[in-house]
Amino acid sequence: MSSSVQVDVAIIGGGPAGSTVGTLLKKYNPYLNVLILEREKFPRDHVGESQLPFISRVLEEMEVWDQVEAAGFPIKIGATYRWGKSDQLWDFEFIRDGQFDPVQRPSSYVGQRLETAFQVDRAIYDEILLNHTASVGCDVRQETEVLEVLHEGDRVTGLRIRGTGADAEEILVEARHYVDCSGYAGCLRKTLGINVEEPTLLKNIAIWDYWQDAEWPVTLGIEGTRIQILSLGYGWLWFIPLGNGRTSVGLVVPARYYKERGVRPAQLYKEALSNDKIVTHLLRNATQEDTLRSTKDWSFLAERVAGKNWFIAGEAAGFADPILSAGMSLAHKNARDVAYSILELDRGEIDAKWLKEQYDTSTRRGITQHIRFADFWYSQNGQFSDLKDYAREISQDAGLNMTSEEAWRWLGTGGFIDNTSQTDVAGFAFFITKNITASFLEEDVDYKIFGYTHFRLDLVGAKEAWIANYHEGKIHRSPCYVRGDKQLPMLGICGFLAHGLSQERSAGQIIGAVEKFRSDPANMSREDAENVPRMVIETLEALVLDGWVIGRAIEGFRPWPKFNLSYEQFMHENRDVSQLLSENV
């Protein structure tokens, strides 16, 4: 080994996770010496092209949103699904009624663009991010392989690396912090012997290729569209326009189905495309690039994602099935959290053990939630019905005695509260999740709180603790309560309700307090005030479902009034794709 280099942070992998860590470290502390090691030469193709709106917020924070927008990727305003027990197409909209107003492109991250996402050609997208990371001062080395991760127990002591070429020298990299963003390869993770869990029976393979000049199923505004997720009974297809005349079309099937068929991936892929009338129509004038790829597509989770002087982020930390388009959101989010954690470790003002525990808990919890909700979706496809029995095992592990059907109802409708006090299920707004579950189970899934007249906080067995809040380059310690794997942040609407319910209150008293609070302009803007009633109902429902609040019905008192939110605004039967097909039959 002929030379060595010392840096503050060494990042293995230059994909979106590695770029996010590097960019945010340099943004909030320009004096850090950050090295990014990427094995491949960009641009290169990669799956994971369909994004969720959360990513745009991270891109804006990275100050790279304008560059991504200038690339002209299609604007994703939602998805069209054919799933469940019928052939009916339905739309999931990011914006109300899918009414996307025409905008001149490139445009700014304002207005409706706050609620939309991108559908990206990863060859272009990843290169934009990595080049941006270099432009803000990171030392980016492509075509550089990590030959060995050196370590003493749980502490990484160095990386032995080498670039390409016969005369490339080996270099020893020594850093204060190491981050594994090497994707499924899990370079650092595997060296340290960190086990990987597969908390699901779901084992799929994905087969995909790219097509030139495919038609878009729908065009809304200026380059606004939806992806297509189309169940085949034995699997499903994705259809994702990427812009510049290119479209990603893929097939996902259970590994066991692939083995039972005993045919090559190319044949399975061809059969699936030719047997689906929507995809056949959209590809009728298109040309296949003939770069067919396949990979196993199994959800997994690293048993821990932080250690002595290292973190794991992106797909190296875990992977959730792509049915929910969540992979890139998880990668950007936990990479952002890693950057914040390293910045706080260097400041030395917050306990290092607590910072790492917070990252480990929130990252693993987020991935697990996406895996469970993906399983719930798959259970509604005939090929995956055996997953319902697995759900019962999960619920029993959580101390719940349920039938298989009740377990799926729990997985699909349970209230989850994250460390920002928001209520969602795997990134889906709470009321949307309720409607999805009702659609899948073919029954009403109502709010439990609508039958109660009185509510009180229940902290029996809970412990006071602190939870991490990530904001503008800093981690803020916020008070919370913890009971088992559930947490109750004492901030935002969660905190407002929890403080107010320390003594039992009637529904009328709670509503009165909320109205008084939101009517004061000093507390919030008029626009935010309009969303408060729905947010209070969703949060109170989540608190009841998670056991933080006990509700009861007392005769003679009015129960909580039902909130009339039109699900049709965000989920409805498809009109445009169905109409397109009927016009061309």
Side-chain angles (χ1 to χ4, degrees):
M1 196 173 298
S2 58
S3 63
S4 64
V5 59
Q6 284 77 41
V7 298
D8 294 306
V9 184
I11 301 170
I12 307 172
S19 292
T20 300
V21 175
T23 297
L24 293 179
L25 284 173
K26 294 296 287 186
K27 174 178 179 175
Y28 295 116
N29 186 353
Y31 301 103
L32 286 175
N33 190 341
V34 180
L35 173 65
I36 298 181
L37 305 166
E38 170 54 48
R39 181 179 57 186
E40 298 186 48
K41 172 67 176 176
F42 284 19
R44 53 89 179 99
D45 282 323
H46 202 287
V47 287
E49 299 113 340
S50 179
Q51 300 189 346
L52 296 177
F54 170 80
I55 292 177
S56 293
R57 287 164 44 194
V58 179
L59 297 178
E60 178 74 359
E61 184 178 6
M62 293 168 65
E63 299 175 355
V64 73
W65 193 90
D66 288 341
Q67 296 177 47
V68 175
E69 164 67 7
F73 298 124
I75 301 169
K76 180 182 177 184
I77 61 100
T80 296
Y81 284 88
R82 184 181 65 223
W83 203 262
K85 300 173 183 178
S86 78
D87 289 334
Q88 174 67 51
L89 295 173
W90 54 274
D91 294 335
F92 170 66
E93 309 281 16
F94 292 155
I95 53 182
R96 289 177 185 270
D97 295 317
Q99 295 299 315
F100 182 58
D101 299 329
V103 293
Q104 181 140 15
R105 301 195 69 186
S107 61
S108 301
Y109 184 58
V110 295
Q112 283 192 321
R113 297 305 301 277
L114 300 175
E115 304 172 62
T116 62
F118 291 106
Q119 294 166 198
V120 300
D121 187 325
R122 288 287 299 276
I124 300 172
Y125 178 79
D126 291 11
E127 187 174 35
I128 290 173
L129 265 56
L130 191 59
N131 287 345
H132 177 71
T133 302
S135 74
V136 299
C138 291
D139 180 1
V140 176
R141 304 190 186 188
Q142 299 187 51
E143 296 184 289
T144 300
E145 183 179 4
V146 176
L147 301 174
E148 183 181 7
V149 176
L150 307 174
H151 66 104
E152 295 176 357
D154 196 51
R155 177 176 292 278
V156 178
T157 58
L159 305 174
R160 191 165 60 87
I161 69 171
R162 181 174 60 198
T164 58
D167 58 348
E169 64 174 347
E170 290 187 13
I171 300 173
L172 174 64
V173 175
E174 296 177 306
R176 295 188 297 110
H177 307 283
Y178 298 85
V179 187
D180 186 355
C181 298
S182 62
Y184 187 77
C187 184
L188 185 152
R189 184 194 73 216
K190 291 180 179 178
T191 297
L192 293 178
I194 298 170
N195 293 328
V196 167
E197 309 166 16
E198 294 179 357
T200 173
L201 298 181
L202 194 61
K203 298 185 186 302
N204 293 332
I205 67 165
I207 307 166
W208 73 98
D209 204 345
Y210 298 93
W211 294 71
Q212 291 290 333
D213 301 320
E215 296 180 34
W216 284 19
V218 59
T219 300
L220 301 161
I222 303 297
E223 297 182 344
T225 189
R226 301 186 204 92
I227 65 169
Q228 307 291 302
I229 302 294
L230 305 168
S231 173
L232 299 171
Y234 60 86
W236 59 275
L237 290 167
W238 77 66
F239 186 96
I240 308 173
L242 306 177
N244 298 316
R246 203 175 194 217
T247 298
S248 173
V249 185
L251 168 67
V252 177
V253 296
R256 69 172 184 272
Y257 176 82
Y258 170 68
K259 292 179 181 178
E260 289 169 359
R261 284 297 310 277
V263 298
R264 298 183 64 82
Q267 182 177 336
L268 270 185
Y269 183 75
K270 182 179 179 181
E271 288 177 3
L273 269 55
S274 63
N275 290 332
D276 188 273
K277 61 182 181 180
I278 295 177
V279 173
T280 298
H281 176 77
L282 298 173
L283 296 179
R284 59 183 175 169
N285 298 316
T287 303
Q288 187 174 350
E289 291 186 5
D290 285 328
T291 55
L292 193 75
R293 301 167 174 90
S294 62
T295 185
K296 71 176 188 177
D297 203 12
W298 300 354
S299 297
F300 70 91
L301 177 65
E303 67 176 1
R304 59 192 182 104
V305 293
K308 288 284 188 180
N309 61 340
W310 54 266
F311 292 90
I312 304 176
E315 193 177 320
F319 175 78
D321 190 276
I323 188 66
L324 301 178
S325 298
M328 289 284 285
S329 291
L330 289 169
H332 278 290
K333 181 187 182 302
N334 58 48
R336 174 179 179 267
D337 293 353
V338 164
Y340 276 49
S341 298
I342 290 174
L343 291 164
E344 288 297 349
L345 287 170
D346 282 357
R347 292 187 187 107
E349 299 171 358
I350 301 178
D351 179 66
K353 181 181 178 182
W354 181 84
L355 286 168
K356 293 172 184 177
E357 287 175 348
Q358 286 292 299
Y359 174 72
D360 185 89
T361 299
S362 65
T363 296
R364 285 173 41 80
R365 179 176 177 271
I367 297 171
T368 299
Q369 192 182 97
H370 278 81
I371 291 173
R372 285 186 175 183
F373 201 49
D375 280 0
F376 174 72
W377 280 61
Y378 273 100
S379 73
Q380 305 309 308
N381 183 314
Q383 190 68 213
F384 306 93
S385 57
D386 59 330
L387 286 171
K388 289 185 178 181
D389 291 330
Y390 178 63
R392 187 175 185 183
E393 295 178 26
I394 295 174
S395 66
Q396 287 174 339
D397 289 343
L400 304 172
N401 185 19
M402 299 181 176
T403 66
S404 296
E405 290 293 336
E406 290 170 337
W408 279 114
R409 194 170 291 109
W410 169 67
L411 287 172
T413 63
F416 298 92
I417 306 171
D418 68 15
N419 61 354
T420 62
S421 80
Q422 299 296 311
T423 53
D424 63 45
V425 181
F428 285 77
F430 192 70
F431 70 94
I432 289 293
T433 309
K434 287 275 192 179
N435 200 37
I436 291 171
T437 307
S439 174
F440 280 170
L441 297 178
E442 295 183 335
E443 60 183 65
D444 290 334
V445 180
D446 213 341
Y447 285 73
K448 290 179 72 69
I449 65 171
F450 291 161
Y452 297 136
T453 63
H454 287 72
F455 303 84
R456 68 171 175 82
L457 189 66
D458 179 16
L459 297 179
V460 174
K463 298 180 180 178
E464 293 184 64
W466 298 95
I467 196 167
N469 239 330
Y470 302 80
H471 183 62
E472 294 184 351
K474 293 186 176 182
I475 296 178
H476 305 271
R477 283 162 47 95
S478 299
C480 74
Y481 288 94
V482 176
R483 183 167 53 205
D485 64 348
K486 303 288 178 62
Q487 57 193 22
L488 172 61
M490 297 298 289
L491 72 161
I493 290 181
C494 274
F496 177 80
L497 288 173
H499 282 296
L501 297 177
S502 56
Q503 295 182 355
E504 187 174 66
R505 306 289 184 187
S506 70
Q509 289 174 319
I510 299 170
I511 292 170
V514 170
E515 287 301 315
K516 182 179 179 180
F517 181 79
R518 78 183 186 111
S519 63
D520 187 344
N523 292 327
M524 64 185 67
S525 68
R526 182 176 178 179
E527 183 181 57
D528 289 341
E530 291 178 356
N531 293 322
V532 167
R534 175 178 62 81
M535 294 171 66
V536 166
I537 287 175
E538 292 179 3
T539 304
L540 184 58
E541 176 77 359
L543 290 170
V544 169
L545 288 172
D546 274 356
W548 293 112
V549 169
I550 294 176
R552 63 175 180 143
I554 301 178
E555 190 174 348
F557 288 85
R558 288 186 178 181
W560 191 284
K562 291 197 174 186
F563 183 59
N564 242 345
L565 178 65
S566 173
Y567 293 136
E568 278 287 313
Q569 295 176 347
F570 299 96
M571 274 185 64
H572 55 80
E573 291 187 4
N574 172 266
R575 295 179 287 270
D576 35 47
V577 178
S578 300
Q579 183 177 354
L580 177 148
L581 288 175
S582 64
E583 292 173 352
N584 291 276
V585 171

